[in-house]
Amino acid sequence: MAAGSEATTPVILAAGAEGEEGEHVKPFMPEKAKEIIMSLQQPAIFCNMVFDWPARHWDAKYLSEVLHGKRIRFRMGMKSMSTVPQFETTCSYVEATLEEFLTWNCDPSSISGPFRDYDHSKFWAYADYKYFVSLFEDKTDIFQDVKWSDFGFPGRNGQESTLWIGSLGAHTPCHLDSYGCNLVFQVQGRKRWHLFPPEDTPFLYPTRIPYEESSVFSKINVVNPDLKRFPQFQKAQRHMVTLSPGQVLFVPRHWWHYVESIDPVTVSINSWIELEEDHLARVEEAITRMLVCALKTAENPQNTRAWLNPTEVEETSHAVNCCYLNAAVSAFFDHCRTSKVVEIQALRTDGECMKKEELNVYSHMEVGQTGSQNLTTGTGKPEAASPFGPDLLPVAQRSKEPPSERGSIFGSDGKDFVDKDGEHFGKLHCVKRQQIMNNSEKAIKEQIASNATTAPSQTFISTDDLLDCLVNPQVTRIVAQLLIQGRSL
């Protein structure tokens, strides 16, 4: 795996600090933990905060006994070194019990059940996005085993949580979550997290295909990137950490992340925390849904599975998506009228926001590196006192690889790449233009239907290429601002 060296968090073995009378004391009171979560702009690890949670003992064997033969869906992926991300649309799926999963994972030589067609040495399995509400629908008492109230969110427990169980190599493609921030409790095994700040979005080559509401995927396999095809990625600020059992990772809003299991069995529990910014984000997501569904269903109505992520139940009609957009806009205005936090700052018409988010198509929408944000609060001002210490560890940025490890075809600014014909990207000769114009209708259809994993032609513009521009996160933010401004005049 071409992940290079990494900065890892030391394993914290202590059960918690002891008070004067010997009882365990958590390093942060709920109010302080919430203050950190709502202000910190970089990922961080909370230690010694969950030693008394009953869910601390939720390993896969225990969960298999609790679920007692209940069949759940596992996503099956290949253990490969491809430079192409393994999106969920390209994976296989298996319905199996946790007992069958553990047997396949621990004794693959005697497999005869649902995993019989999957060689353990070549495949990984991931039971992901398992919401407690549906997973433990007849065992609701178990919700109390997870106590997010310790982080300043009273009443939040397993009912607002998701379970993840994976084998070695199981992972999620690199993506950012449109809504909220994220708290992740590692129960069993270790997971390696690759994280990138929001300002690196242009360097991650965002795409909404496959489409999933609330997830913006990257076209890049960040552990084995194709720098010839995605040269801007070498400018990204990779942060890495290995999350160990008993630790809780805080992922701030809009931080990109790729997560991989590095032990034979891993179990994690997470909860997405709602934020004020989500009200505007819902408008942006409604715009995205309308455009993606309209263009992709028009392109090929019979093949929605090729672009719709398996987590999305169905593609909705244009009429339904219009209602969804109107509801999101109405909800935004309702929130502005009733909330003390007025989000009009995000909609200023003096041009300041536009300047911050303007699209520079001639430089791949490059943005300034704002590394100083990493240690600041949401106000943009340095913290009076750093919250970091033995029980709150910042996720470190990984040092850049030496130029020799990146290949000699790149200059220092990544602009020296040439294509196989010796031309710089973006240049087209008249002959090439004429060749494209003379292509038969059949040839064009074949290109549209071609596998998305192949490198696209320099001259052919597909529906997905257009969508990558139309629903780029920066574009949808501007469209949402204009939409709301027009309605509020």
Side-chain angles (χ1 to χ4, degrees):
M1 182 174 293
S5 60
E6 62 172 286
T8 59
T9 300
V11 178
I12 306 300
L13 299 177
E18 292 192 3
E20 295 181 358
E21 299 180 1
E23 76 278 8
H24 293 310
V25 178
K26 298 193 176 184
F28 302 104
M29 295 296 290
E31 296 79 11
K32 180 61 177 177
K34 184 175 183 179
E35 178 187 332
I36 292 171
I37 289 168
M38 302 308 287
S39 63
L40 198 61
Q41 296 295 294
Q42 77 171 107
I45 303 288
F46 284 92
C47 304
N48 298 319
M49 287 291 288
V50 296
F51 57 83
D52 61 343
W53 288 19
R56 181 73 173 79
H57 307 289
W58 281 22
D59 59 19
K61 187 176 185 302
Y62 170 79
L63 289 170
S64 69
E65 296 170 356
V66 172
L67 292 173
H68 192 59
K70 183 171 185 176
R71 300 177 75 83
I72 56 180
R73 189 169 75 155
F74 289 84
R75 178 160 57 96
M76 307 300 297
M78 290 286 293
K79 295 179 179 179
S80 71
M81 289 299 293
S82 171
T83 59
V84 178
Q86 284 197 58
F87 292 122
E88 293 166 62
T89 49
T90 63
C91 292
S92 302
Y93 292 86
V94 165
E95 297 285 337
T97 65
L98 274 181
E99 291 93 335
E100 291 168 328
F101 163 74
L102 290 172
T103 300
W104 170 78
N105 201 43
C106 301
D107 185 18
S109 62
S110 61
I111 300 303
S112 59
F115 295 98
R116 62 183 175 274
D117 295 328
Y118 297 92
D119 185 335
H120 183 267
S121 65
K122 298 178 181 178
F123 287 87
W124 48 258
Y126 208 5
D128 49 7
Y129 297 100
K130 298 297 178 280
Y131 292 93
F132 278 34
V133 172
S134 57
L135 194 61
F136 302 110
E137 54 190 349
D138 55 345
K139 297 180 175 65
T140 56
D141 290 347
I142 209 169
F143 294 164
Q144 306 306 318
D145 287 6
V146 179
K147 303 178 180 180
W148 298 115
S149 55
D150 285 347
F151 289 86
F153 302 97
R156 182 179 288 264
N157 54 40
Q159 189 167 1
E160 297 84 18
S161 302
T162 308
L163 185 68
W164 309 71
I165 304 172
S167 65
L168 179 66
H171 65 267
T172 54
C174 187
H175 68 284
L176 68 80
D177 300 318
S178 303
Y179 304 136
C181 58
N182 199 357
L183 286 174
V184 186
F185 167 34
Q186 192 63 27
V187 180
Q188 179 182 4
R190 296 168 301 155
K191 281 186 172 179
R192 182 177 293 130
W193 285 70
H194 303 245
L195 301 113
F196 304 86
E199 61 263 30
D200 281 358
T201 292
F203 311 143
L204 272 296
Y205 296 82
T207 182
R208 297 311 299 262
I209 304 297
Y211 173 73
E212 174 184 82
E213 183 180 0
S214 80
S215 293
V216 182
F217 291 104
S218 169
K219 293 181 179 180
I220 303 169
N221 181 349
V222 298
V223 296
N224 190 26
D226 182 350
L227 293 179
K228 293 181 181 179
R229 187 176 176 191
F230 305 113
Q232 295 292 313
F233 177 63
Q234 63 184 332
K235 299 180 181 180
Q237 307 166 82
R238 187 195 302 262
H239 294 61
M240 291 182 66
V241 69
T242 297
L243 193 63
S244 299
Q247 297 178 333
V248 175
L249 173 65
F250 164 61
V251 182
R253 183 175 188 263
H254 284 182
W255 270 71
W256 292 84
H257 47 284
Y258 171 99
V259 191
E260 54 182 336
S261 297
I262 59 173
D263 279 329
V265 180
T266 60
V267 177
S268 307
I269 298 170
N270 89 293
S271 188
W272 287 283
I273 308 298
E274 302 83 2
L275 297 172
E276 289 290 334
E277 295 89 341
D278 291 349
H279 296 282
L280 180 59
R282 290 190 184 93
V283 178
E284 297 168 20
E285 286 298 289
I287 293 168
T288 299
R289 185 181 190 90
M290 177 178 287
L291 289 173
V292 172
C293 290
L295 287 179
K296 293 302 289 184
T297 54
E299 179 184 64
N300 192 341
Q302 284 75 43
N303 193 25
T304 58
R305 291 294 108 187
W307 59 270
L308 196 66
N309 215 44
T311 53
E312 291 292 314
V313 178
E314 61 180 353
E315 78 285 0
T316 49
S317 69
H318 187 69
V320 170
N321 286 333
C322 282
C323 293
Y324 185 71
L325 175 59
N326 277 277
V329 172
S330 297
F332 175 86
F333 282 117
D334 288 344
H335 171 73
C336 287
R337 282 191 290 266
T338 58
S339 175
K340 294 180 181 179
V341 180
V342 179
E343 299 187 35
I344 202 66
Q345 183 178 1
L347 307 171
R348 286 176 296 195
T349 58
D350 59 5
E352 183 176 344
C353 282
M354 287 294 189
K355 289 179 182 178
K356 289 181 180 178
E357 301 191 33
E358 66 180 356
L359 304 179
N360 187 346
V361 297
Y362 298 105
S363 61
H364 291 272
M365 297 185 294
E366 294 183 21
V367 295
Q369 301 301 310
T370 55
S372 60
Q373 286 185 342
N374 287 347
L375 293 176
T376 61
T377 62
T379 62
K381 298 179 181 179
E383 293 180 325
S386 172
F388 300 122
D391 298 297
L392 183 67
L393 309 175
V395 174
Q397 181 176 347
R398 194 187 74 177
S399 59
K400 298 286 186 180
E401 298 97 339
S404 60
E405 295 183 20
R406 291 182 174 172
S408 60
I409 61 172
F410 295 101
S412 59
D413 61 357
K415 295 179 181 178
D416 293 335
F417 177 72
V418 294
D419 67 14
K420 62 182 180 180
D421 296 320
E423 296 182 67
H424 281 77
F425 272 137
K427 292 184 178 180
L428 294 176
H429 280 208
C430 293
V431 175
K432 284 192 175 182
R433 289 197 192 99
Q434 192 60 42
Q435 287 175 344
I436 291 297
M437 295 300 292
N438 291 339
N439 274 345
S440 65
E441 182 178 356
K442 179 181 178 182
I444 294 176
K445 286 183 178 180
E446 288 175 353
Q447 290 195 59
I448 293 176
S450 65
N451 194 313
T453 60
T454 60
S457 163
Q458 282 294 103
T459 57
F460 178 72
I461 303 298
S462 68
T463 303
D464 290 359
D465 293 330
L466 180 61
L467 282 170
D468 285 341
C469 300
L470 291 177
V471 293
N472 181 285
Q474 292 174 293
V475 175
T476 53
R477 168 59 62 92
I478 294 172
V479 173
Q481 290 171 348
L482 293 173
L483 205 63
I484 292 170
Q485 287 171 14
R487 296 295 296 170
S488 60
L489 291 178

